[in-house]
Short mmCIF file of all heavy atoms in Angstrom, two decimals:
data_model
loop_
_atom_site.label_atom_id
_atom_site.label_comp_id
_atom_site.label_asym_id
_atom_site.label_seq_id
_atom_site.Cartn_x
_atom_site.Cartn_y
_atom_site.Cartn_z
N TYR A 262 22.01 47.68 -58.88
CA TYR A 262 21.14 48.85 -59.29
C TYR A 262 21.38 50.00 -58.36
O TYR A 262 21.23 49.91 -57.18
CB TYR A 262 19.72 48.50 -59.14
CG TYR A 262 19.24 47.41 -60.16
CD1 TYR A 262 19.16 46.09 -59.79
CD2 TYR A 262 18.82 47.73 -61.46
CE1 TYR A 262 18.66 45.06 -60.63
CE2 TYR A 262 18.31 46.78 -62.33
CZ TYR A 262 18.28 45.47 -61.95
OH TYR A 262 17.83 44.46 -62.75
N VAL A 302 23.92 49.32 -62.91
CA VAL A 302 22.88 50.05 -63.58
C VAL A 302 22.62 51.30 -62.78
O VAL A 302 22.11 51.33 -61.73
CB VAL A 302 21.55 49.24 -63.65
CG1 VAL A 302 20.49 49.93 -64.47
CG2 VAL A 302 21.89 47.78 -64.25
N PHE A 304 20.54 54.74 -62.74
CA PHE A 304 19.27 55.32 -63.46
C PHE A 304 18.54 56.35 -62.51
O PHE A 304 18.80 56.36 -61.32
CB PHE A 304 18.36 54.17 -63.80
CG PHE A 304 17.83 53.34 -62.70
CD1 PHE A 304 16.53 53.46 -62.23
CD2 PHE A 304 18.61 52.42 -62.02
CE1 PHE A 304 16.00 52.75 -61.15
CE2 PHE A 304 18.12 51.67 -60.94
CZ PHE A 304 16.85 51.85 -60.55
N ASP A 308 12.53 57.43 -64.27
CA ASP A 308 12.44 56.74 -65.48
C ASP A 308 11.77 55.42 -65.35
O ASP A 308 11.65 54.63 -66.39
CB ASP A 308 13.93 56.60 -66.07
CG ASP A 308 14.40 57.85 -66.73
OD1 ASP A 308 13.54 58.74 -67.08
OD2 ASP A 308 15.60 58.04 -66.94
N VAL A 309 11.45 55.05 -64.15
CA VAL A 309 10.76 53.76 -63.91
C VAL A 309 9.41 54.05 -63.14
O VAL A 309 9.32 53.84 -61.97
CB VAL A 309 11.65 52.80 -63.07
CG1 VAL A 309 11.04 51.47 -62.92
CG2 VAL A 309 13.11 52.69 -63.66
N PRO A 310 8.41 54.61 -63.92
CA PRO A 310 7.20 54.99 -63.19
C PRO A 310 6.54 53.78 -62.54
O PRO A 310 5.60 54.01 -61.78
CB PRO A 310 6.35 55.60 -64.37
CG PRO A 310 7.00 55.21 -65.64
CD PRO A 310 8.43 54.95 -65.31
N GLU A 311 6.88 52.60 -62.96
CA GLU A 311 6.19 51.39 -62.38
C GLU A 311 6.39 51.39 -60.85
O GLU A 311 5.58 50.73 -60.08
CB GLU A 311 6.76 50.12 -63.00
CG GLU A 311 6.35 49.83 -64.43
CD GLU A 311 7.05 50.74 -65.46
OE1 GLU A 311 7.93 51.43 -65.16
OE2 GLU A 311 6.51 50.77 -66.52
N ALA A 361 10.93 46.46 -56.51
CA ALA A 361 10.73 46.45 -57.92
C ALA A 361 11.82 45.76 -58.63
O ALA A 361 11.59 45.40 -59.81
CB ALA A 361 10.70 47.95 -58.41
N TYR A 362 12.97 45.48 -58.09
CA TYR A 362 14.04 44.88 -58.81
C TYR A 362 14.43 43.47 -58.25
O TYR A 362 15.46 42.95 -58.49
CB TYR A 362 15.28 45.81 -58.81
CG TYR A 362 14.81 47.12 -59.40
CD1 TYR A 362 14.57 48.21 -58.43
CD2 TYR A 362 14.57 47.36 -60.73
CE1 TYR A 362 14.12 49.38 -58.88
CE2 TYR A 362 14.17 48.63 -61.14
CZ TYR A 362 13.86 49.61 -60.23
OH TYR A 362 13.40 50.84 -60.71
N ASP A 363 13.56 42.96 -57.34
CA ASP A 363 13.82 41.64 -56.65
C ASP A 363 15.14 41.85 -55.91
O ASP A 363 15.97 40.87 -55.86
CB ASP A 363 13.87 40.43 -57.62
CG ASP A 363 12.52 40.05 -58.13
OD1 ASP A 363 11.52 40.48 -57.54
OD2 ASP A 363 12.44 39.46 -59.22
N SER A 529 19.98 57.02 -69.55
CA SER A 529 18.81 56.44 -70.36
C SER A 529 18.94 55.04 -70.52
O SER A 529 17.97 54.28 -70.35
CB SER A 529 18.86 57.14 -71.81
OG SER A 529 18.77 58.52 -71.70
N ALA A 530 20.22 54.45 -70.79
CA ALA A 530 20.39 53.05 -70.89
C ALA A 530 20.03 52.39 -69.58
O ALA A 530 19.34 51.36 -69.54
CB ALA A 530 21.83 52.74 -71.31
N GLY A 531 20.54 52.93 -68.54
CA GLY A 531 20.22 52.40 -67.14
C GLY A 531 18.69 52.32 -66.85
O GLY A 531 18.13 51.39 -66.41
N GLY A 532 18.04 53.48 -67.21
CA GLY A 532 16.59 53.61 -66.99
C GLY A 532 15.81 52.55 -67.70
O GLY A 532 14.87 51.81 -67.24
N ALA A 533 16.27 52.26 -68.98
CA ALA A 533 15.56 51.30 -69.87
C ALA A 533 15.72 49.89 -69.17
O ALA A 533 14.75 49.09 -69.15
CB ALA A 533 16.08 51.31 -71.21
N GLU A 534 16.99 49.61 -68.80
CA GLU A 534 17.17 48.26 -68.20
C GLU A 534 16.41 48.09 -66.92
O GLU A 534 15.74 47.03 -66.66
CB GLU A 534 18.68 48.12 -68.03
CG GLU A 534 19.04 46.69 -67.44
CD GLU A 534 20.52 46.30 -67.48
OE1 GLU A 534 21.30 46.99 -68.09
OE2 GLU A 534 20.76 45.28 -66.82
N ALA A 535 16.45 49.10 -66.02
CA ALA A 535 15.76 49.02 -64.78
C ALA A 535 14.27 48.82 -65.00
O ALA A 535 13.55 48.14 -64.33
CB ALA A 535 16.06 50.26 -63.91
N ARG A 536 13.79 49.58 -66.05
CA ARG A 536 12.29 49.56 -66.23
C ARG A 536 11.85 48.18 -66.73
O ARG A 536 10.74 47.76 -66.36
CB ARG A 536 11.96 50.59 -67.29
CG ARG A 536 10.54 50.86 -67.34
CD ARG A 536 10.07 52.04 -68.17
NE ARG A 536 8.67 52.28 -67.96
CZ ARG A 536 7.98 53.07 -68.76
NH1 ARG A 536 8.56 53.80 -69.64
NH2 ARG A 536 6.65 53.16 -68.57
N ARG A 537 12.67 47.52 -67.45
CA ARG A 537 12.30 46.13 -67.97
C ARG A 537 12.03 45.25 -66.74
O ARG A 537 11.07 44.50 -66.59
CB ARG A 537 13.44 45.55 -68.75
CG ARG A 537 13.28 45.84 -70.29
CD ARG A 537 14.21 44.98 -71.10
NE ARG A 537 15.67 45.17 -70.85
CZ ARG A 537 16.33 46.15 -71.40
NH1 ARG A 537 15.77 46.95 -72.17
NH2 ARG A 537 17.55 46.26 -71.05
N LYS A 538 12.94 45.29 -65.75
CA LYS A 538 12.84 44.48 -64.57
C LYS A 538 11.64 44.88 -63.75
O LYS A 538 10.85 44.00 -63.29
CB LYS A 538 14.19 44.63 -63.81
CG LYS A 538 14.15 43.77 -62.53
CD LYS A 538 14.12 42.26 -62.79
CE LYS A 538 13.77 41.50 -61.52
NZ LYS A 538 13.58 40.05 -61.82
N ALA A 539 11.54 46.14 -63.56
CA ALA A 539 10.36 46.73 -62.70
C ALA A 539 9.04 46.36 -63.27
O ALA A 539 8.03 46.00 -62.58
CB ALA A 539 10.47 48.14 -62.45
N THR A 540 8.96 46.31 -64.57
CA THR A 540 7.69 46.00 -65.29
C THR A 540 7.35 44.58 -65.01
O THR A 540 6.11 44.22 -64.76
CB THR A 540 7.83 46.30 -66.77
OG1 THR A 540 8.21 47.61 -66.99
CG2 THR A 540 6.55 46.03 -67.56
N GLU A 541 8.29 43.67 -65.08
CA GLU A 541 8.09 42.27 -64.81
C GLU A 541 7.54 42.04 -63.41
O GLU A 541 6.57 41.34 -63.19
CB GLU A 541 9.45 41.53 -64.99
CG GLU A 541 9.51 40.07 -64.71
CD GLU A 541 11.07 39.69 -64.60
OE1 GLU A 541 11.82 40.12 -65.41
OE2 GLU A 541 11.35 39.00 -63.59
N VAL A 542 8.17 42.74 -62.41
CA VAL A 542 7.74 42.67 -61.01
C VAL A 542 6.33 43.25 -60.87
O VAL A 542 5.45 42.77 -60.18
CB VAL A 542 8.78 43.24 -60.12
CG1 VAL A 542 8.28 43.25 -58.67
CG2 VAL A 542 10.13 42.51 -60.22
N ARG A 543 6.10 44.43 -61.39
CA ARG A 543 4.74 45.10 -61.38
C ARG A 543 3.69 44.05 -61.90
O ARG A 543 2.67 43.91 -61.31
CB ARG A 543 4.86 46.38 -62.22
CG ARG A 543 3.57 47.25 -62.03
CD ARG A 543 2.52 47.04 -63.07
NE ARG A 543 2.93 46.65 -64.38
CZ ARG A 543 3.03 47.45 -65.40
NH1 ARG A 543 2.73 48.80 -65.27
NH2 ARG A 543 3.31 47.04 -66.60
N ASP A 544 3.94 43.48 -63.06
CA ASP A 544 2.96 42.59 -63.61
C ASP A 544 2.72 41.41 -62.74
O ASP A 544 1.54 41.04 -62.62
CB ASP A 544 3.44 42.09 -64.97
CG ASP A 544 3.44 43.16 -66.12
OD1 ASP A 544 2.84 44.17 -65.75
OD2 ASP A 544 4.00 43.04 -67.13
N ARG A 545 3.75 40.93 -62.13
CA ARG A 545 3.57 39.79 -61.14
C ARG A 545 2.62 40.24 -60.03
O ARG A 545 1.76 39.51 -59.59
CB ARG A 545 4.90 39.48 -60.58
CG ARG A 545 5.16 38.02 -60.21
CD ARG A 545 6.66 37.74 -60.24
NE ARG A 545 7.40 38.34 -59.19
CZ ARG A 545 8.63 38.69 -59.07
NH1 ARG A 545 9.41 38.45 -60.15
NH2 ARG A 545 9.20 39.16 -58.11
#
Side-chain angles (χ1 to χ4, degrees):
Y262 292 98
V302 182
F304 63 103
D308 280 343
V309 187
E311 287 72 15
Y362 308 98
D363 288 340
S529 301
E534 183 169 347
R536 195 168 185 192
R537 269 194 298 279
K538 179 66 193 171
T540 303
E541 177 196 315
V542 174
R543 188 270 323 261
D544 288 349
R545 210 157 73 203

